[in-house]
Amino acid sequence: MGEVAECSLGTVHEAVEQGASSDAVAEALSRALVPLVAHDALRVAATNPAAEFGPAAFSFWHKFDPGLGLALLHRAYACGNQSAPQVPGDDLYRAYGVGSELLVPIRDRRGAWGTLELLRSHGGRQFDAEDARRAVRLGPALARVLRQYVTAGPLAPRAPMLAPGVIIVGPDHRMRAATPEAYAWREHLRTSRRTPDFTDAAHLAGLSLQTRRRLNDPHARRPVLAAPAASHGRWVGCHAQPLDDDSGDVAVVIEALTGKRLLPSFCDWYSLTPRERQIVHQLCEGAAAKHIARSLGLSVHTVNEHLKAVFRKTAAGGRDELVAAITS
Protein backbone atom coordinates (compact mmCIF):
# COMPACT_ATOMS: atom_id res chain seq x y z
CA MET A 1 0.00 0.00 0.00
CA GLY A 2 2.86 2.38 0.79
CA GLU A 3 4.45 1.87 -2.65
CA VAL A 4 1.04 2.19 -4.32
CA ALA A 5 0.42 5.45 -2.46
CA GLU A 6 3.79 6.88 -3.49
CA CYS A 7 3.12 5.98 -7.12
CA SER A 8 -0.38 7.47 -7.02
CA LEU A 9 0.88 10.69 -5.41
CA GLY A 10 3.43 11.31 -8.15
CA THR A 11 1.20 13.90 -9.82
CA VAL A 12 0.77 15.66 -6.48
CA HIS A 13 4.54 15.92 -6.02
CA GLU A 14 4.76 17.37 -9.55
CA ALA A 15 2.10 19.98 -8.76
CA VAL A 16 3.93 21.02 -5.59
CA GLU A 17 7.28 21.17 -7.38
CA GLN A 18 5.76 23.44 -10.03
CA GLY A 19 4.50 25.86 -7.37
CA ALA A 20 0.81 25.09 -7.82
CA SER A 21 -1.75 26.91 -5.71
CA SER A 22 -3.37 25.31 -2.68
CA ASP A 23 -6.55 24.64 -4.67
CA ALA A 24 -4.58 22.94 -7.46
CA VAL A 25 -2.65 20.79 -5.00
CA ALA A 26 -5.88 19.82 -3.24
CA GLU A 27 -7.49 18.80 -6.55
CA ALA A 28 -4.45 16.73 -7.53
CA LEU A 29 -4.43 15.13 -4.10
CA SER A 30 -8.11 14.22 -4.31
CA ARG A 31 -7.70 12.71 -7.79
CA ALA A 32 -4.75 10.64 -6.57
CA LEU A 33 -6.58 9.33 -3.50
CA VAL A 34 -9.95 8.50 -5.09
CA PRO A 35 -8.76 5.12 -6.47
CA LEU A 36 -7.36 4.22 -3.03
CA VAL A 37 -10.17 5.57 -0.81
CA ALA A 38 -13.20 6.80 -2.76
CA HIS A 39 -14.59 10.15 -1.54
CA ASP A 40 -16.55 13.19 -2.64
CA ALA A 41 -14.71 15.89 -0.68
CA LEU A 42 -11.32 16.24 0.95
CA ARG A 43 -9.62 18.41 3.52
CA VAL A 44 -6.01 18.12 4.73
CA ALA A 45 -5.06 20.17 7.79
CA ALA A 46 -1.28 20.33 8.19
CA THR A 47 0.55 20.88 11.44
CA ASN A 48 3.93 19.55 12.63
CA PRO A 49 5.37 17.74 15.66
CA ALA A 50 6.59 21.02 17.19
CA ALA A 51 3.14 22.64 16.95
CA GLU A 52 1.65 23.95 20.18
CA PHE A 53 -1.93 22.94 19.36
CA GLY A 54 -4.40 21.80 16.72
CA PRO A 55 -5.29 24.52 14.16
CA ALA A 56 -3.63 23.98 10.81
CA ALA A 57 -0.50 25.82 9.77
CA PHE A 58 -1.88 25.44 6.25
CA SER A 59 -4.55 23.31 4.60
CA PHE A 60 -5.82 21.87 1.33
CA TRP A 61 -9.55 21.87 0.56
CA HIS A 62 -11.34 20.19 -2.35
CA LYS A 63 -15.15 20.34 -2.63
CA PHE A 64 -15.27 20.67 1.17
CA ASP A 65 -17.76 23.36 2.22
CA PRO A 66 -16.00 26.09 4.29
CA GLY A 67 -19.11 26.52 6.43
CA LEU A 68 -19.05 22.86 7.39
CA GLY A 69 -15.34 23.06 8.17
CA LEU A 70 -15.83 25.99 10.54
CA ALA A 71 -18.86 24.36 12.19
CA LEU A 72 -16.89 21.15 12.77
CA LEU A 73 -14.04 23.16 14.28
CA HIS A 74 -16.39 24.80 16.78
CA ARG A 75 -18.02 21.50 17.69
CA ALA A 76 -14.72 19.66 18.07
CA TYR A 77 -13.44 22.25 20.56
CA ALA A 78 -16.74 22.14 22.44
CA CYS A 79 -16.27 18.36 22.77
CA GLY A 80 -12.72 18.87 24.02
CA ASN A 81 -10.97 16.98 21.20
CA GLN A 82 -9.99 18.74 17.99
CA SER A 83 -9.11 15.48 16.23
CA ALA A 84 -12.09 13.40 17.33
CA PRO A 85 -14.23 12.00 14.50
CA GLN A 86 -17.74 13.40 14.32
CA VAL A 87 -20.96 11.40 14.20
CA PRO A 88 -22.12 10.99 10.58
CA GLY A 89 -25.76 11.38 9.79
CA ASP A 90 -26.54 14.05 12.38
CA ASP A 91 -28.28 17.35 11.62
CA LEU A 92 -25.06 19.24 10.89
CA TYR A 93 -23.90 16.73 8.31
CA ARG A 94 -27.34 16.41 6.75
CA ALA A 95 -27.49 20.18 6.35
CA TYR A 96 -24.42 19.96 4.11
CA GLY A 97 -25.45 16.77 2.30
CA VAL A 98 -22.83 14.60 4.00
CA GLY A 99 -23.54 10.96 4.71
CA SER A 100 -20.21 9.69 5.98
CA GLU A 101 -16.86 11.06 7.25
CA LEU A 102 -13.44 9.51 7.62
CA LEU A 103 -10.88 11.38 9.75
CA VAL A 104 -7.39 9.93 10.13
CA PRO A 105 -4.05 11.25 11.40
CA ILE A 106 -1.19 11.89 9.01
CA ARG A 107 1.76 10.31 10.80
CA ASP A 108 5.17 8.88 10.11
CA ARG A 109 8.06 7.82 12.32
CA ARG A 110 8.90 11.50 12.99
CA GLY A 111 5.51 12.30 14.47
CA ALA A 112 2.13 13.81 13.54
CA TRP A 113 1.85 16.15 10.56
CA GLY A 114 -1.87 16.80 10.45
CA THR A 115 -5.14 15.11 9.56
CA LEU A 116 -6.83 13.83 6.43
CA GLU A 117 -10.60 14.26 6.36
CA LEU A 118 -12.66 12.60 3.64
CA LEU A 119 -16.41 12.98 3.08
CA ARG A 120 -18.98 10.96 1.14
CA SER A 121 -22.29 12.44 0.10
CA HIS A 122 -25.60 11.51 1.66
CA GLY A 123 -27.00 8.35 0.08
CA GLY A 124 -23.59 6.94 -0.82
CA ARG A 125 -21.75 4.03 0.73
CA GLN A 126 -20.56 4.62 4.28
CA PHE A 127 -16.86 4.54 5.06
CA ASP A 128 -15.94 1.20 6.61
CA ALA A 129 -13.03 -0.39 8.48
CA GLU A 130 -11.21 -1.26 5.25
CA ASP A 131 -11.41 2.37 4.09
CA ALA A 132 -9.97 3.45 7.45
CA ARG A 133 -7.10 0.95 7.19
CA ARG A 134 -6.25 2.17 3.70
CA ALA A 135 -6.36 5.82 4.76
CA VAL A 136 -4.15 5.28 7.82
CA ARG A 137 -1.52 3.57 5.67
CA LEU A 138 -1.37 6.67 3.49
CA GLY A 139 0.08 8.65 6.42
CA PRO A 140 3.81 8.52 5.60
CA ALA A 141 3.22 9.29 1.90
CA LEU A 142 0.98 12.24 2.75
CA ALA A 143 3.52 13.51 5.29
CA ARG A 144 6.12 13.61 2.51
CA VAL A 145 3.75 15.68 0.36
CA LEU A 146 3.26 18.18 3.18
CA ARG A 147 6.98 18.47 3.85
CA GLN A 148 7.64 18.91 0.15
CA TYR A 149 5.05 21.70 0.01
CA VAL A 150 6.79 23.59 2.83
CA THR A 151 10.36 22.99 1.71
CA ALA A 152 9.57 23.83 -1.93
CA GLY A 153 8.64 27.32 -0.76
CA PRO A 154 11.15 30.16 -0.47
CA LEU A 155 13.96 29.63 2.02
CA ALA A 156 14.66 33.34 2.39
CA PRO A 157 11.59 35.53 3.13
CA ARG A 158 10.06 37.09 0.02
CA ALA A 159 7.63 39.24 1.97
CA PRO A 160 8.46 42.36 3.99
CA MET A 161 9.04 42.33 7.74
CA LEU A 162 5.82 43.96 8.92
CA ALA A 163 5.32 45.27 12.43
CA PRO A 164 3.30 43.01 14.78
CA GLY A 165 -0.45 43.53 14.64
CA VAL A 166 -3.26 42.75 17.08
CA ILE A 167 -6.69 41.35 16.23
CA ILE A 168 -9.48 41.41 18.83
CA VAL A 169 -11.68 38.33 18.64
CA GLY A 170 -15.05 38.36 20.39
CA PRO A 171 -16.87 35.60 22.30
CA ASP A 172 -18.38 34.52 18.97
CA HIS A 173 -14.81 33.78 17.80
CA ARG A 174 -14.94 36.37 15.04
CA MET A 175 -12.83 39.48 14.53
CA ARG A 176 -14.23 42.54 16.30
CA ALA A 177 -11.42 45.03 15.75
CA ALA A 178 -7.81 45.22 14.64
CA THR A 179 -4.84 47.57 14.76
CA PRO A 180 -3.58 49.20 11.53
CA GLU A 181 -0.62 46.83 11.63
CA ALA A 182 -2.98 43.84 11.70
CA TYR A 183 -4.87 45.20 8.70
CA ALA A 184 -1.53 45.53 6.92
CA TRP A 185 -0.88 41.87 7.63
CA ARG A 186 -4.32 40.88 6.38
CA GLU A 187 -3.76 42.80 3.16
CA HIS A 188 -0.38 41.17 2.71
CA LEU A 189 -1.86 37.73 3.26
CA ARG A 190 -4.74 38.48 0.89
CA THR A 191 -2.41 39.40 -1.95
CA SER A 192 0.40 36.91 -1.38
CA ARG A 193 -1.28 33.82 0.00
CA ARG A 194 -1.58 30.54 -1.83
CA THR A 195 -4.33 29.29 0.47
CA PRO A 196 -8.11 29.94 0.48
CA ASP A 197 -9.26 33.21 2.06
CA PHE A 198 -11.78 31.48 4.30
CA THR A 199 -9.00 29.77 6.28
CA ASP A 200 -8.48 33.07 8.12
CA ALA A 201 -11.77 32.55 9.95
CA ALA A 202 -10.76 29.02 10.97
CA HIS A 203 -7.40 30.21 12.31
CA LEU A 204 -8.98 32.97 14.40
CA ALA A 205 -11.69 30.67 15.70
CA GLY A 206 -9.18 28.00 16.64
CA LEU A 207 -6.94 30.46 18.50
CA SER A 208 -9.93 31.96 20.27
CA LEU A 209 -11.36 28.60 21.29
CA GLN A 210 -8.02 27.27 22.52
CA THR A 211 -7.39 30.45 24.54
CA ARG A 212 -10.68 30.00 26.33
CA ARG A 213 -9.98 26.33 26.93
CA ARG A 214 -6.63 27.20 28.50
CA LEU A 215 -8.40 29.51 30.96
CA ASN A 216 -10.18 26.45 32.35
CA ASP A 217 -7.27 24.06 31.94
CA PRO A 218 -3.80 25.53 32.55
CA HIS A 219 -2.29 22.29 31.20
CA ALA A 220 -3.91 22.76 27.79
CA ARG A 221 -1.55 23.61 24.97
CA ARG A 222 -0.70 27.24 24.37
CA PRO A 223 -2.61 28.88 21.49
CA VAL A 224 0.34 29.39 19.14
CA LEU A 225 0.41 28.97 15.35
CA ALA A 226 3.32 28.86 12.87
CA ALA A 227 2.47 29.17 9.17
CA PRO A 228 5.18 28.51 6.55
CA ALA A 229 6.63 30.78 3.90
CA ALA A 230 5.23 28.42 1.26
CA SER A 231 1.78 29.79 2.04
CA HIS A 232 2.53 33.39 2.99
CA GLY A 233 5.86 34.45 1.48
CA ARG A 234 7.52 34.30 4.88
CA TRP A 235 7.01 32.44 8.15
CA VAL A 236 4.11 33.96 10.08
CA GLY A 237 3.35 33.40 13.74
CA CYS A 238 0.16 33.96 15.75
CA HIS A 239 -0.40 33.69 19.48
CA ALA A 240 -3.40 34.59 21.59
CA GLN A 241 -4.31 35.53 25.14
CA PRO A 242 -7.48 36.75 26.91
CA LEU A 243 -7.87 40.46 27.57
CA ASP A 244 -7.78 41.50 31.21
CA ASP A 245 -11.33 42.80 31.30
CA ASP A 246 -14.90 41.50 31.40
CA SER A 247 -15.48 41.62 27.66
CA GLY A 248 -14.63 37.97 27.03
CA ASP A 249 -12.46 39.09 24.13
CA VAL A 250 -9.21 37.50 23.03
CA ALA A 251 -6.23 39.35 21.59
CA VAL A 252 -4.46 37.59 18.72
CA VAL A 253 -0.99 38.85 17.81
CA ILE A 254 0.19 38.27 14.24
CA GLU A 255 3.85 38.82 13.40
CA ALA A 256 6.82 37.61 11.42
CA LEU A 257 8.16 34.39 12.90
CA THR A 258 11.94 34.38 13.26
CA GLY A 259 14.82 33.16 15.38
CA LYS A 260 14.25 30.85 18.34
CA ARG A 261 10.49 30.86 17.89
CA LEU A 262 10.83 29.68 14.29
CA LEU A 263 13.53 27.05 14.82
CA PRO A 264 11.37 24.16 16.17
CA SER A 265 8.96 24.27 13.22
CA PHE A 266 11.72 25.00 10.70
CA CYS A 267 13.76 22.03 11.90
CA ASP A 268 10.72 19.72 11.82
CA TRP A 269 9.75 20.58 8.27
CA TYR A 270 13.31 20.34 6.94
CA SER A 271 13.85 17.03 8.77
CA LEU A 272 16.91 18.15 10.73
CA THR A 273 18.36 15.65 13.20
CA PRO A 274 18.71 16.53 16.90
CA ARG A 275 22.43 17.19 16.43
CA GLU A 276 21.81 19.34 13.35
CA ARG A 277 19.26 21.33 15.34
CA GLN A 278 21.80 22.01 18.07
CA ILE A 279 24.33 23.23 15.52
CA VAL A 280 21.82 25.44 13.67
CA HIS A 281 20.68 26.96 16.96
CA GLN A 282 24.23 27.96 17.85
CA LEU A 283 24.87 29.10 14.30
CA CYS A 284 21.95 31.53 14.58
CA GLU A 285 23.45 32.79 17.84
CA GLY A 286 26.52 33.83 15.87
CA ALA A 287 28.83 31.03 17.04
CA ALA A 288 31.75 30.01 14.84
CA ALA A 289 32.34 26.36 13.89
CA LYS A 290 35.21 26.06 16.41
CA HIS A 291 33.02 27.33 19.25
CA ILE A 292 30.18 24.99 18.27
CA ALA A 293 32.56 22.05 18.14
CA ARG A 294 33.98 22.86 21.57
CA SER A 295 30.57 23.33 23.22
CA LEU A 296 29.18 20.07 21.80
CA GLY A 297 32.32 18.00 22.26
CA LEU A 298 32.76 17.46 18.52
CA SER A 299 35.55 18.00 16.04
CA VAL A 300 35.37 20.97 13.68
CA HIS A 301 35.29 18.48 10.81
CA THR A 302 32.20 16.79 12.26
CA VAL A 303 30.45 20.14 12.74
CA ASN A 304 31.19 21.08 9.14
CA GLU A 305 29.86 17.72 7.93
CA HIS A 306 26.62 18.34 9.84
CA LEU A 307 26.40 21.81 8.30
CA LYS A 308 26.82 20.33 4.81
CA ALA A 309 23.88 18.03 5.55
CA VAL A 310 21.80 21.01 6.71
CA PHE A 311 22.67 23.01 3.59
CA ARG A 312 21.70 20.02 1.45
CA LYS A 313 18.34 19.57 3.19
CA THR A 314 17.43 23.26 3.10
CA ALA A 315 19.06 24.10 -0.27
CA ALA A 316 20.85 26.96 1.49
CA GLY A 317 23.90 28.26 -0.33
CA GLY A 318 25.85 28.53 2.90
CA ARG A 319 25.90 29.76 6.46
CA ASP A 320 24.85 33.34 5.69
CA GLU A 321 21.84 32.33 3.62
CA LEU A 322 20.67 29.82 6.21
CA VAL A 323 20.99 32.25 9.12
CA ALA A 324 19.24 35.00 7.14
CA ALA A 325 16.36 32.66 6.33
CA ILE A 326 15.79 31.95 10.02
CA THR A 327 16.53 35.32 11.61
CA SER A 328 15.28 37.92 9.08
Side-chain angles (χ1 to χ4, degrees), residues 290-305:
K290 289 183 179 180
H291 175 81
I292 297 173
R294 186 164 52 251
S295 68
L296 297 179
L298 304 173
S299 70
V300 174
H301 172 76
T302 299
V303 169
N304 286 330
E305 287 302 306

Side-chain angles (χ1 to χ4, degrees), residues 216-237:
N216 298 320
D217 179 9
H219 299 291
R221 293 180 175 183
R222 295 188 307 125
V224 178
L225 182 65
S231 299
H232 305 307
R234 70 171 306 125
W235 285 85
V236 178

Side-chain angles (χ1 to χ4, degrees), residues 43-314:
R43 178 174 63 167
V44 172
T47 179
N48 68 292
E52 295 284 352
F53 79 124
F58 61 94
S59 54
F60 301 120
W61 300 59
H62 183 65
K63 296 184 178 180
F64 199 114
D65 192 293
L68 174 61
L70 194 57
L72 290 176
L73 176 69
H74 281 254
R75 190 163 75 174
Y77 272 93
C79 295
N81 186 353
Q82 301 99 302
S83 60
Q86 308 300 319
V87 180
D90 66 10
D91 290 340
L92 175 59
Y93 277 92
R94 280 195 293 270
Y96 288 92
V98 175
S100 182
E101 179 211 42
L102 181 60
L103 180 65
V104 296
I106 298 175
R107 300 186 62 89
D108 64 10
R109 60 184 179 82
R110 295 183 179 92
W113 299 92
T115 56
L116 167 68
E117 188 170 6
L118 302 176
L119 302 180
R120 286 178 179 167
S121 299
H122 182 71
R125 183 175 69 84
Q126 298 277 306
F127 287 110
D128 57 24
E130 179 58 27
D131 291 319
R133 281 193 293 270
R134 285 176 172 269
V136 167
R137 292 166 65 183
L138 292 169
L142 291 173
R144 282 188 282 276
V145 168
L146 298 180
R147 285 199 298 274
Q148 182 197 14
Y149 179 78
V150 173
T151 58
L155 179 64
R158 294 179 181 171
M161 171 76 82
L162 299 177
V166 178
I167 299 172
I168 304 301
V169 183
D172 61 354
H173 313 298
R174 297 180 180 181
M175 187 179 83
R176 277 206 320 106
T179 63
E181 293 80 6
Y183 280 113
W185 270 107
R186 289 172 64 86
E187 177 62 18
H188 158 68
L189 296 178
R190 185 187 67 79
T191 57
S192 68
R193 78 168 67 249
R194 296 170 59 213
T195 55
D197 288 344
F198 57 75
T199 56
D200 277 353
H203 287 159
L204 286 180
L207 289 163
S208 172
L209 287 158
Q210 184 66 10
T211 301
R212 289 169 169 81
R213 173 182 293 172
R214 191 171 164 82
L215 284 174
N216 298 320
D217 179 9
H219 299 291
R221 293 180 175 183
R222 295 188 307 125
V224 178
L225 182 65
S231 299
H232 305 307
R234 70 171 306 125
W235 285 85
V236 178
C238 292
H239 61 271
Q241 63 183 39
L243 293 182
D244 295 329
D245 56 27
D246 297 325
S247 66
D249 291 344
V250 166
V252 176
V253 177
I254 180 170
E255 59 189 339
L257 194 64
T258 62
K260 292 180 180 179
R261 291 175 301 149
L262 169 58
L263 271 174
S265 294
F266 182 91
C267 292
D268 276 351
W269 285 115
Y270 283 95
S271 303
L272 302 192
T273 67
R275 181 64 82 190
E276 289 166 355
R277 293 173 187 232
Q278 289 178 315
I279 291 172
V280 170
H281 174 78
Q282 294 201 31
L283 200 69
C284 291
E285 294 289 318
K290 289 183 179 180
H291 175 81
I292 297 173
R294 186 164 52 251
S295 68
L296 297 179
L298 304 173
S299 70
V300 174
H301 172 76
T302 299
V303 169
N304 286 330
E305 287 302 306
H306 281 303
L307 284 175
K308 288 179 183 177
V310 172
F311 298 153
R312 183 175 65 253
K313 291 177 180 180
T314 61

